Amino acid sequence: MKKTCYLLASLLLAGSLAVADEAMLIDFTQLEPDCVVDEQTEKPTQNKHTVMDFSVAAGATFTKDQKDLMKTSLALPEWEVVLNSSARNVGSLAESKVVAAPVKDSAKVPFAGKDVMGVRVVFPTIAANANAKIVPPFDIPAYEPLADADDDGVRQEPTDEQKASGKTLFEDGYGVVKNVGTIKSIACTTMGMNYPHGLYVMLKDNDNIERRYFMGYLSFDGWKTLIWNNPQYITEIRNREIRVYPIYPRGVPFVKFSGFQITRDAAHIGDNYIGYFKDVKVIYDKAILTSDRDIADEDLWGIITKKETARQTAEMQRFGNTQVNRYLEKQKMAVENEFTPSIDTDAEGSAQGNGGQAAN
């Protein structure tokens, strides 16, 4: 029985020629904070290339200074750890997090001296299957226009050169790869620490369908590239069952990174999991041989832009509300670490000792 391979009409015109490309889906060394300086720490908090402003969801009661703080990006500390019900408790929610992990300058890897993604997950110690997803702070947009941002995280108007490039903001290692037909292989560079847990890479396509790909187990020590090879990939074109889809307004197919999943079996040890991730790459068949068409369909009809704008507005509103609520909760948090003394502890005759008892 023939396998099904989803390709567009242009690939059919290629006859027996299969064109495959390698692309960087996401490179975590590019996500260092470099804008939106925190006034207290005087350190940047957001990544300039990927910063998004969600203050549009805030009400009119917020000041401009407050709205300026309602920005987020793909900066590594902004990523979230989402635990399943078997792993979720107060301790695990408090301790599980993502950080920027600096690689030593003396490390014998090409990315020495840069920051990679560091992940801590606290799994339950009881015998229960558990998993954790490491997800970006927002659903990565596929059609966000390519434009620069300033040091305050304000997105500027695209330049003529950026418009002519045909690129969108989150391509080239920031989470999106365009013109993807069939995925042949996925590679993930990660540092193992002899944990028996499994690793999945999660991707979404242009139909907003999320799929996960099992990369292997993390029971090794040191840096390693884990590779998933498509078992249904057919190299012989004549054996492929080719289905033809309209190119427009469905849009050029793409994939975007939606996160990692770490799975812990009930038979394995629980408690802390520590891991590090450098990047995710894909090898794929091109969906169309060239995206340079004689007529600019989208400029003429605007169908994709309308659909993407509606989707992005809904995402902006949903996540924007979350950002506003987080900002309010942060403002309400207690900042005191100890009580103000009611007595002069240095005075002669003051009570001393533990447990409320005076020392003799």
Side-chain angles (χ1 to χ4, degrees), residues 17 46 65 149-150 177 181 189 192 210 230 237 248 257 268 273-274 283 290 303 307 309 318 339-340 342 346 354 359:
L17 177 62
Q46 303 300 334
D65 291 338
D150 61 19
V177 175
T189 302
E210 184 177 80
N230 188 350
I237 296 298
Y248 188 83
F257 184 72
H268 294 148
Y273 158 77
I274 303 295
I283 296 178
T290 177
I303 300 175
K307 291 193 297 184
T309 299
R318 181 191 66 79
F339 287 99
T340 302
S342 299
D346 295 329
N354 297 324

Side-chain angles (χ1 to χ4, degrees), residues 185-229:
S185 300
I186 302 173
C188 175
T189 302
T190 180
M191 186 176 183
M193 300 181 69
N194 290 328
Y195 288 98
H197 308 321
L199 172 65
Y200 290 84
V201 167
M202 301 184 298
L203 305 180
K204 280 186 180 181
D205 62 16
N206 51 305
D207 294 319
N208 208 34
I209 297 174
E210 184 177 80
R211 297 179 176 87
R212 65 175 193 166
Y213 303 87
F214 181 63
M215 306 303 297
Y217 293 99
L218 299 168
S219 53
F220 57 88
D221 183 24
W223 290 102
K224 185 177 181 180
T225 299
L226 300 178
I227 298 176
W228 173 85
N229 291 309

Side-chain angles (χ1 to χ4, degrees), residues 1 40 53 57 84 91 100 111 143 197-198 231 294 304 306 309 339:
M1 181 178 179
Q40 296 181 348
D53 185 2
N84 75 325
F111 45 92
Y143 293 99
H197 308 321
D294 293 341
I304 296 176
K306 184 178 181 180
T309 299
F339 287 99

Side-chain angles (χ1 to χ4, degrees), residues 39-282:
E39 293 182 357
Q40 296 181 348
T41 63
E42 297 183 350
K43 294 181 179 180
T45 60
Q46 303 300 334
N47 176 257
K48 186 179 295 186
H49 187 94
T50 61
V51 66
M52 299 286 286
D53 185 2
F54 291 93
S55 63
V56 294
T61 57
F62 295 96
T63 66
K64 181 181 182 301
D65 291 338
Q66 290 173 329
K67 288 185 177 182
D68 286 343
L69 299 176
M70 297 176 189
K71 296 183 176 71
T72 190
S73 67
L74 296 186
L76 293 172
E78 298 291 318
W79 291 61
E80 301 176 12
V81 177
V82 181
L83 301 164
N84 75 325
S85 58
S86 299
R88 193 180 299 119
N89 57 61
V90 175
S92 61
L93 289 173
E95 300 296 336
S96 300
K97 59 182 178 180
V98 178
V99 299
V103 181
K104 292 182 179 179
D105 293 330
S106 58
K108 296 180 180 179
V109 290
F111 45 92
K114 297 183 178 180
D115 290 349
V116 297
M117 173 184 279
V119 178
R120 179 188 181 187
V121 180
V122 181
F123 284 118
T125 55
I126 61 173
N129 292 328
N131 68 76
K133 293 181 178 180
I134 296 92
V135 298
F138 52 87
D139 190 25
I140 298 176
Y143 293 99
E144 185 71 18
L146 178 61
D148 297 323
D150 61 19
D151 292 337
D152 294 324
V154 178
R155 189 68 58 189
Q156 308 298 305
E157 288 295 322
T159 64
D160 293 338
E161 183 179 353
Q162 289 170 334
K163 292 178 181 179
S165 69
K167 297 280 187 177
T168 52
L169 185 63
F170 289 88
E171 292 185 69
D172 296 333
Y174 292 96
V176 175
V177 175
K178 295 287 187 68
N179 197 17
V180 177
T182 300
I183 296 178
K184 183 179 181 180
S185 300
I186 302 173
C188 175
T189 302
T190 180
M191 186 176 183
M193 300 181 69
N194 290 328
Y195 288 98
H197 308 321
L199 172 65
Y200 290 84
V201 167
M202 301 184 298
L203 305 180
K204 280 186 180 181
D205 62 16
N206 51 305
D207 294 319
N208 208 34
I209 297 174
E210 184 177 80
R211 297 179 176 87
R212 65 175 193 166
Y213 303 87
F214 181 63
M215 306 303 297
Y217 293 99
L218 299 168
S219 53
F220 57 88
D221 183 24
W223 290 102
K224 185 177 181 180
T225 299
L226 300 178
I227 298 176
W228 173 85
N229 291 309
N230 188 350
Q232 296 183 334
Y233 186 82
I234 301 174
T235 56
E236 183 57 55
I237 296 298
R238 67 188 66 192
N239 292 333
R240 293 185 177 187
E241 181 179 334
I242 300 176
R243 296 185 179 183
V244 179
Y245 292 100
I247 296 177
Y248 188 83
R250 187 172 183 267
V252 176
F254 62 82
V255 294
K256 60 183 176 181
F257 184 72
S258 58
F260 294 114
Q261 186 177 39
I262 311 296
T263 58
R264 174 253 178 172
D265 191 89
H268 294 148
I269 187 171
D271 206 9
N272 283 286
Y273 158 77
I274 303 295
Y276 304 98
F277 300 91
K278 192 273 176 183
D279 60 36
V280 177
K281 301 177 182 178
V282 292

